[in-house]
Amino acid sequence: MIWVIVGLLILLAALGAPLFAILGAIALIGFHMAGQEGIAVAVEFYRLSDMPALIAIPLFTLAGYILAESKTPQRLVRLTNALVGWLPGGLAIVAVLACTLFTAFTGATGVTIIALGAVLYPALRQAHYGEKFSLGLLTASGSLGLLLVPSMPLILYGVVAQQFQTTPPVSIDALFKAGVLPCLLMVVMLGAYSAWHVRNVARPQAAPRGELMAATKDAAWEIPLPFVILIGIYSGKLAASEAAAATALYVLIVTVLIRREIKLAELPRVIRHAMVLVGGILVILGFSLALTNWLIDAEVPEKLFQFLRTHIPESNPFLFLLALNLFLLVFGMLLEGFPAIILLVPLVLPVAVRYGIDPVHLGIIFLANLQLGIFLPPLGINLYIASARFRQPVMTLVRAAVPFFLIMLAATLIITYWPGLSLWLAR
């Protein structure tokens, strides 16, 4: 009977049934078969209101949507171009840096490709960068920033992971700290490759005298924002939720009242779009927490661990991490970031801890792989967003992104097998 139900749910998922409905159905069926009332699912939604870190999600989302609707992308590109555009491959480095920062603040890789692609792609082509190189660079760079504060996927991983009360514990602040150096590694590796690849392109002229000062003045309200968040969190003065509140208030005041790039009449529309995304995340998260509790009660992670132990000895975490990377790459391609985190963390985290993997380090491995899977064929969502944005066939983008994928894969393996890179600041 159980296999008939599972088969039916898989069929419904393949036909396009909403993810929250599938999660809710599995949780309800699981609790029913365990002899428990269905109210156990509703209780998890009540528990959402008792999670202090959860308030960071709607606040950072709102700040990201407001920034995306303003002229912040253009100011960000202008500032980074004035800073490093004169270097060999400077405009490519500008693209990497701008995409990383914008994705970190919006939490949405597709938004980065749409918002910055319109600015950066014509600039790259005008600077005589090859079409294939430019397309691959922007398609791959669109997913950078998921590891950098205040990335929403980092917050979501922390919220889900905290349900398992691991030792050592998982805190949002620790995840924010852990992601900085791995993200910097990816940025440096992509920037170095880009500079090498375009070494034969004419070196760009230095920015006109006074351009750096003008660009800095133009972005004067945006520049303090990441530093306030980073210093506040790393100094322990601000919790993640407090940093989110400060960020949302600051962005709202600057964009609406000072710069007036979003009119008061347009603000309800922006807020509505942001909260639709937040509402979807919370609904999925509530059902996911119910499913997580059922998985724990049914000892599914323990059974999964026992199965793996017969093929991968507990004393061989190296092989486990390799298998984990392959697993996450595949599911990162099949699922978008938020559903992948919500669905896979309850299965992966308890098993990884038994293999001696630090849960904070695991979060960085998790998101590093999702950064790759999101532009992997045949189902990586960023491929289709980039295809629509740049009006290019998907396979053209796949071929263009191969070198960047290999570099990010190498960085992911370094992150995986060098836990100190993630944990040096976090612990």
Side-chain angles (χ1 to χ4, degrees):
M1 180 63 181
I2 182 65
W3 295 111
V4 174
I5 296 172
V6 170
L8 180 59
L9 292 174
I10 293 174
L11 177 62
L12 290 174
L15 292 175
L19 179 62
F20 75 88
I22 301 297
L23 293 176
I26 296 173
L28 285 169
I29 293 169
F31 280 122
H32 175 74
M33 295 184 64
Q36 300 184 39
E37 297 291 335
I39 197 172
V41 175
V43 168
E44 296 305 321
F45 281 91
Y46 176 77
R47 285 182 58 222
L48 285 177
S49 63
D50 196 34
M51 295 181 181
L54 201 64
I55 190 64
I57 292 179
L59 291 173
F60 275 133
T61 302
L62 176 61
Y65 265 75
I66 292 174
L67 288 173
E69 290 281 337
S70 70
K71 295 181 180 178
T72 296
Q74 290 88 334
R75 285 191 289 270
L76 186 61
V77 171
R78 182 185 180 188
L79 178 61
T80 51
N81 190 48
L83 284 170
V84 298
W86 54 272
L87 294 169
L91 192 55
I93 298 172
V94 166
V96 172
L97 290 173
C99 289
T100 300
L101 292 172
F102 197 71
T103 299
F105 274 98
T106 61
T109 60
V111 172
T112 297
I113 292 174
I114 293 170
L116 295 186
V119 180
L120 290 170
Y121 182 67
L124 289 167
R125 297 293 291 126
Q126 188 175 0
H128 305 294
Y129 288 26
E131 180 183 38
K132 183 178 178 181
F133 171 82
S134 302
L135 291 171
L137 176 67
L138 294 175
T139 301
S141 298
S143 65
L144 290 175
L146 293 185
L147 295 174
L148 189 64
V149 57
S151 165
M152 200 186 322
L154 274 177
I155 300 172
L156 196 58
Y157 173 87
V159 169
V160 177
Q162 285 171 357
Q163 307 310 304
F164 292 90
Q165 300 179 351
T166 57
T167 303
V170 178
S171 70
I172 307 298
D173 295 353
L175 287 168
F176 281 168
K177 296 174 183 178
V180 173
L181 293 180
C183 181
L184 182 60
L185 174 68
M186 286 196 171
V187 168
V188 169
M189 290 179 67
L190 280 178
Y193 167 76
S194 299
W196 174 84
H197 183 86
V198 298
R199 62 193 181 280
N200 295 324
V201 175
R203 184 168 178 167
Q205 295 181 347
R209 188 174 182 179
E211 171 62 12
L212 178 57
M213 184 62 68
T216 302
K217 184 178 179 181
D218 191 30
W221 288 105
E222 283 87 0
I223 291 173
L225 192 55
F227 294 102
V228 169
I229 296 174
L230 288 170
I231 293 172
I233 289 176
Y234 290 128
S235 66
K237 301 293 184 182
L238 295 176
S241 56
E242 294 168 337
T247 301
L249 180 61
Y250 182 87
V251 169
L252 192 64
I253 291 173
V254 169
T255 307
V256 178
L257 299 181
I258 297 177
R259 291 194 183 276
R260 298 184 180 180
E261 292 177 345
I262 297 179
K263 297 179 181 179
L264 282 173
E266 297 174 347
L267 194 56
R269 173 185 61 82
V270 178
I271 295 174
R272 183 172 65 253
H273 288 168
M275 292 309 106
V276 166
L277 173 62
V278 172
I281 292 173
L282 294 182
V283 169
I284 295 173
L285 184 57
F287 282 120
S288 173
L289 294 180
L291 179 60
T292 298
N293 277 344
W294 173 72
L295 290 173
I296 294 172
D297 290 345
E299 299 182 342
V300 172
E302 178 63 25
K303 293 173 182 176
L304 179 60
F305 171 70
Q306 296 299 336
F307 171 79
L308 286 175
R309 193 166 64 170
T310 61
H311 299 86
I312 304 175
E314 199 171 346
S315 59
N316 192 353
F318 182 94
L319 185 58
F320 169 76
L321 286 172
L322 182 61
L324 176 64
N325 278 324
L326 293 173
F327 174 79
L328 292 176
L329 278 176
V330 171
F331 278 91
M333 174 189 66
L334 297 174
L335 298 168
E336 292 183 58
F338 297 146
I341 292 168
I342 291 170
L343 282 173
L344 300 181
V345 171
L347 289 174
V348 171
L349 179 60
V351 176
V353 170
R354 295 289 294 273
Y355 276 95
I357 311 302
D358 187 288
V360 171
H361 179 214
L362 176 69
I364 304 305
I365 296 172
F366 210 100
L367 293 179
N369 278 280
L370 292 185
Q371 284 185 163
L372 289 170
I374 206 167
F375 66 92
L376 267 182
L379 299 175
I381 187 64
N382 273 15
L383 287 175
Y384 297 93
I385 293 174
S387 176
R389 182 67 194 82
F390 303 124
R391 299 180 181 179
Q392 296 286 340
V394 169
M395 287 310 299
T396 298
L397 296 174
V398 170
R399 289 189 290 269
V402 167
F404 302 96
F405 170 80
L406 294 176
I407 292 168
M408 292 176 68
L409 178 61
T412 298
L413 292 175
I414 294 173
I415 292 166
T416 299
Y417 291 109
W418 184 12
L421 186 67
S422 303
L423 301 179
W424 183 51
L425 295 176
R427 298 298 188 196

